[in-house]
Amino acid sequence: MLKDLTNSYLLAKNDFPNITFLRHQPKEGLYIRLRLDQSWNEQVSVFDSEHMIITKEEPDLSRKGLFEWFQQKDYVSSLISMNKAVDPGKQLHSNNPYTLYAKRDVFLAEPLAAGTTGMSTHLARFLDKTQASEVQKKWDELIGAKKTSSKKASKKSSTETIFTSPTQQFFSDTDYAPALEYLVSEERRTHIAQIEQWYATNLSALIEHIRTIPFKNYVKIFFTSEPTPLHSSMDHPSNESSSFYSWDEMYGYEYLLYTIPKIFNSNDYNQMVDGALTGLPGFNMSMNSKKPYLEHKTMRVGAPIRLSLEEALLVKEASEWLLSQPKFRMNKFGYHTDFSKNSEKIAEGYFLVYMEGKDNEVQDFENVPFSKKVHVNIRLKNVLGVMTKNNDGEAFVKDYGSLENVEQLQKEISKRFFRGRMNGDFLQDEPKAREKDFTSVMVALFMQSKKGFYDWIFKGTAATIRSQFARVTLRLIEEQLLRVEPAGQEKSRLDLRGLADAMNVRLSLMAYLEGEEYTAMGNRLIAVSNGLKDKLETLEKRKPKENTDPVYVETDDEFYYLAGQLAFYLKSQSEAQQKKGDLLGTFFMAKRSAQLKKRIEEAYHLHRHKMRLHHTKLNWALGQVYGYQPDKEFQHEDAREMFLAGLFSDNWFWKKGEREKPNSEGENGYGEEN
Amino acid sequence: MQALCFELSGETAFFKKPDVNVYAYFTYSHIHKVALYGLLGAVLGLGGYTQQYERNMALGGKAKQDNPAMPYPEFYEVFRHASVSIVPHGDRGYFSKKIQIFNNTVGYASQEEGGVLNVREQWLERPRWTIYVADDGGVDREVFDRLADYVQHSKAEYIPYLGKNDHPATISKARLVELEPASEPEYIDSLRAAHVLVDRGGYVKDDQMQSYLQEYLPVGLNTANNGYILEPLVFSNQEIDTDELKAEDLQKIYRDADNDRTLYFI
């Protein structure tokens, strides 16, 4: 994962060499640039142009130059983490002697006793740790070298003595050699001495001045002695003619001197592999003695992973880049296109990364081999043949149109099955259950299927959802039927139109997922519905006492579909004030077909006073349902599905003139005019 | 060239990426060479990391000597030069993944209060690959023959699993197949080295939607500490750029005519 990401990040670094600190967001606080070669009194007059209060808002454009100077210097002077502070007291948060970071309260603390302040103690301790010998120790620890004459070497500045310590010998051929050379230079030592001197004479005046300025969080002081530090010393030679290093270089070396010995998570796992130093990287990797199994106990490798210094540095930069991306959402990064200027048209996948903002943990990562843009085009079919009416009262077969993009697809799924809960980037969502709105069963189904829906909508692969779509959505429809009260639903009559639509959407999406015109279930539904309609028509047309062949229900599908039709018709006769889906709950309690028959019988007895005696279709249907013995029991998913389809389809038992009170529409509220 | 070919599948699989461990462990997108060697080693009853550890370490976890007696686990020693080809199935080579959360409550896994270690692992779901092990001399004759016999006759010394013993592997349809060198390959149906480029104007196989996976996958263990050696591998359904193919790549590309597949041996 890190290797994949850093490899892509390298592309970005090639194109935008300054990307590391351009992405850097300095923390809130007061940023001050000070001249080391001038006393506070000498520079107080230019203080206004040499400081800046940085907040979370965008910096003032007119001071962009100064902001970028601070941004760059702040990047190189910041700690990797508080655990890796230079100051043992952890009061000062900068990593080199040329800078001073302190929290406002620490910096402005009242003097302890006459002449001494808390700050001076902190500074003395901090500057001591930035001495060459102390830094050298850290480098020695990095390669596991024993203490040698490094201290002695550091006292001298001539280049001949530099390579006396094993550490310096080890790094003599690397990019870090100049930094180590600089570490023991006379110039660095002089600067530190000057800084100590500067603080000794000017600190209290500076503190008093800052006390008057309103700001939050940090005080950050950066030393320089270049009059125009935005430019390199080549163009504007420093007024210290003896200066060998420019301030930019020195800040750069200080960054390496601090960062390299602390780059690894812990130096306990450092090892030489093929002559190169490798160690445990620090990003999203922990070795906690209380969790012994983070270490690989029986493998020779021990530490899970080891990277070289260069790789570890790159991982640090890449992770900083990653952390500057939006948190708490799934970020998609194309292998090349999101990193490189040359976004050539070339096949690529992308990384899907979810970062948690607080502890900067990677909570989800995936390498997805598909295009970032997902295309769908799904024609929604009216499998149940649901009718509707236009404004003039003309009935026609309802047209659901098409879903032309994934946004529409997500909206439709969310609306039809999840009561609008599946919004935005829903993978991490855990919706709350609410009675009569979003039941706990629906929550459970949401949790079970969200990854599948997410993969479909956001990655364009239906592989995950395909196997569970039919089951999950059927249960969602059933749950909504029995336990949810949709807003806007007419309560004065049994109104299942919304669910009939959901069933149609379900059947269309199932067909799409299986790559067919209609699914097997869709085809069966159409066949059953047509077959039963034909049978009922035959009955209607028959003259009384005509001696013709009897008409039977012949399959399980027909049985359950007809049972659904009957259940709806009978229950829509209810006199209840509020006719809701739960009227039908009694049928769903049945597990076997015999129980279902019993429930229908009970419903008939309850409402028979409203039935006409010579209702041919109804009488036939009741008779057939009693008489037929299905092989499949009602708990079978197929049976339930047929029953639901029967419920949701236009009802055949409403007769002309018979109206479901108080609505004046015909069958099931949307059928043909009777 | 002859090769042993079999279908490798399971309900779930987990090939741990060792590079992050703070919140969750993630999985490689496919079985990799080292894990596959381990699986083959299990079939033959070869020693693994534990046997290597026991050989190298005295009781108490101190190394017996500076230079380990066994630099590699036995399975790796035996199979390290084997050429294999991994053909991913699933949706254009993609298996869905889900993060599973469970506890390790043995007590010694966590010394924090309560002694419970929460583990989050990203698992592959219903993965399936077709695996080819080339009979090209990479493994000893005797080892190859025994492997072919064991795999074809459903014999195994240890239970083969997909990355971790939570995920038993199913090995099916094992057979020996004859492969021909592919002279002009258009598509490659297996994982391949990333330097085998796609043809920018090329077609996508079977009118599918395009897929292109590139991932650093372990291809070996280093000598110093048995850490993974990673190489970028690619799986794509887009045509390859035949003009850019190097001679050494051509030597690794074979054709399985019976199954209409072009294979790249890694």
Side-chain angles (χ1 to χ4, degrees), chain A residues 111-236:
Chain A
L112 294 173
T116 64
T117 59
M119 266 322 275
S120 52
T121 337
H122 300 325
L123 270 168
R125 187 180 61 221
F126 171 70
L127 287 176
D128 186 48
K129 284 287 170 193
T130 62
Q131 295 292 344
S133 56
E134 293 292 332
V135 177
Q136 182 77 46
K137 263 190 226 163
K138 301 280 175 209
W139 282 74
D140 291 345
E141 283 167 23
L142 179 68
I143 63 159
K146 295 200 180 74
K147 269 193 204 159
T148 54
S149 59
S150 60
K151 205 165 186 174
K152 213 169 77 194
S154 69
K155 297 274 182 206
K156 298 175 187 172
S157 64
S158 75
T159 44
E160 294 94 84
T161 54
I162 287 170
F163 301 119
T164 50
S165 90
T167 308
Q168 277 147 336
Q169 273 169 14
F170 180 81
F171 289 105
S172 61
D173 288 338
T174 67
D175 296 346
Y176 310 122
L180 287 170
E181 197 176 311
Y182 155 78
L183 174 67
V184 292
S185 67
E186 186 59 34
E187 200 174 342
R188 185 175 189 274
R189 221 158 52 84
T190 321
H191 277 313
I192 296 178
Q194 280 175 346
I195 286 166
E196 276 179 271
Q197 190 52 46
W198 198 96
Y199 283 133
T201 46
N202 301 305
L203 184 64
S204 35
L206 178 65
I207 292 178
E208 288 317 309
H209 187 89
I210 288 174
R211 213 181 279 284
T212 59
I213 305 172
F215 64 98
K216 279 187 197 159
N217 211 2
Y218 271 106
V219 179
K220 296 192 175 186
I221 295 170
F222 302 83
F223 276 109
T224 174
S225 56
E226 289 166 7
T228 49
L230 283 174
H231 304 93
S232 80
S233 60
M234 293 293 281
D235 305 330
H236 302 271

Side-chain angles (χ1 to χ4, degrees), chain A residues 1-4 7 271 273 283-286 288-294 297-301 304-306 335 344-349 361-367 369-370 448 451 455 459-464 467, chain B residues 16-23 25-26 29 49-50 52-53 56 68 70-71 91-92 94 96-99 108-112 117 122 125-126 198 200 210-216 222-227 230 238:
Chain A
M1 172 190 143
L2 293 183
K3 184 97 176 155
D4 296 294
N7 208 42
Q271 193 181 15
V273 174
F283 175 68
N284 263 253
M285 169 60 67
S286 79
N288 177 344
S289 60
K290 289 188 167 178
K291 291 179 181 172
Y293 285 83
L294 293 175
K297 285 292 182 197
T298 58
M299 286 167 84
R300 247 192 86 207
V301 69
I305 187 168
R306 286 187 180 84
Y335 295 164
E344 303 155 74
K345 262 259 186 245
I346 187 166
E348 68 164 7
E361 290 172 350
V362 181
Q363 296 204 340
D364 208 349
F365 172 86
E366 203 179 336
N367 188 348
F370 307 130
Q448 280 171 29
K451 184 71 183 5
D455 283 357
K459 298 181 200 156
T461 171
T464 326
S467 58
Chain B
K16 188 192 276 175
K17 286 186 178 180
D19 51 3
V20 297
N21 69 3
V22 170
Y23 180 81
Y25 288 110
F26 299 102
S29 297
Y49 294 107
T50 309
Q52 180 198 17
Y53 181 85
N56 289 341
M70 262 180 98
D91 182 9
R92 295 162 278 159
Y94 172 84
S96 63
K97 306 182 189 88
K98 210 178 278 165
I99 293 187
Y108 49 79
S110 169
Q111 261 125 56
E112 277 169 5
L117 180 71
Q122 182 189 46
E125 300 195 332
R126 283 180 291 283
V198 291
R200 291 191 183 185
Q210 188 185 60
S211 88
Y212 182 88
L213 175 87
Q214 178 169 331
E215 187 161 305
Y216 276 87
N222 71 30
T223 334
N225 55 28
N226 286 180
L230 300 171
Q238 191 169 4

Side-chain angles (χ1 to χ4, degrees), chain B residues 69-82:
Chain B
M70 262 180 98
Y72 294 115
E74 189 184 6
F75 74 83
Y76 187 75
E77 201 70 72
V78 170
F79 283 104
R80 60 191 288 198
H81 298 300

